[in-house]
Each structure stands twice: as C-alpha cells, then as structure tokens.
Amino acid sequence: HCANALAVARWLDADSRISWVSYPGLEGDKYHALAEKYMPNGTCGVISFGVPGGREKVSAFLDHLKMVSICTLYPACTTHRQLTDEQLEEAGVGIDLVRLSCGIENAADIIADLDQALASIQ
C-alpha cells in the first residue's frame, strides 16, 4: 500500500487539475527528510490533496469515483461538516481537502479512477 500511495501521490502531484498534494513520501514534501529517516521502508497509504473549485466541485469529483470507496474522503462534508468555511480553514481542513487511503489495489487502477473522475468535473 505504501508503494501504491507513492505512485498515486506522484501522479496527483504532476496533475494540473490538483491544487496541492501532501504525502511524506514525495520528494518535495516538507516532511520528506523525516520520513526517509524514520520510515525508510515506506510511509503510509494515506494521501491528502486538494481539488479546487469549492464544495460542489469536490462533491462532484467524489460522486464520479467508480472504484475508490467514499468513507471519510471529504472531511469538510463528513467529519467536520458542522464547521463553517472559516472554521474549517482555521482547523487546517480546507474545503478542497480530500484524503485517500490506498490499499493493495493496482496503483494504475486507482489512478485511472481518479483521472476519469477529474475529467468528468472539468
């Protein structure tokens, strides 16, 4: 799952439809050096990234996912739904934040699903 998450994070990081990516396995991540030091065999399966365009755009993106399961992928509308947009920003949970937990599925399949969902909201 760590290798899959790194592959997906790299793909997301290179995609212009994504506003930002946070994953310690990425070379440019602010925690990359620490991750290499303390987790030399891989960091984790969870990637955080931003889908620009507001709640409606993020919700549409999630609705178009076919393989990826939606649990708490979108904190602004699930675990933190009671907060205003301003409170979300103060808590570090932007309205564009999507969290993805990669498993042992084929990374190419995860990427293909993300790609088709992003394409559908353009």
Side-chain angles (χ1 to χ4, degrees), residues 34-110:
L34 290 173
E36 281 192 322
K37 180 178 180 179
Y38 294 112
M39 297 176 275
N41 297 319
T43 55
C44 68
V46 179
I47 307 162
S48 297
F49 60 96
V51 176
R55 291 177 191 254
E56 295 78 23
K57 194 91 159 196
V58 178
S59 292
F61 164 73
L62 296 174
D63 287 344
H64 283 92
L65 291 170
K66 296 177 181 177
M67 185 189 83
V68 174
S69 174
I70 302 168
C71 294
T72 57
L73 282 175
Y74 189 32
C77 285
T78 55
T79 57
H80 294 72
R81 68 183 169 275
Q82 74 279 8
L83 302 179
T84 66
D85 288 355
E86 294 77 24
Q87 291 170 324
L88 287 168
E89 290 297 329
E90 289 174 15
V93 181
I95 60 170
D96 64 340
L97 170 65
V98 175
R99 284 188 290 197
L100 174 65
S101 179
C102 294
I104 59 171
E105 306 85 1
N106 187 303
D109 293 339
I110 299 169

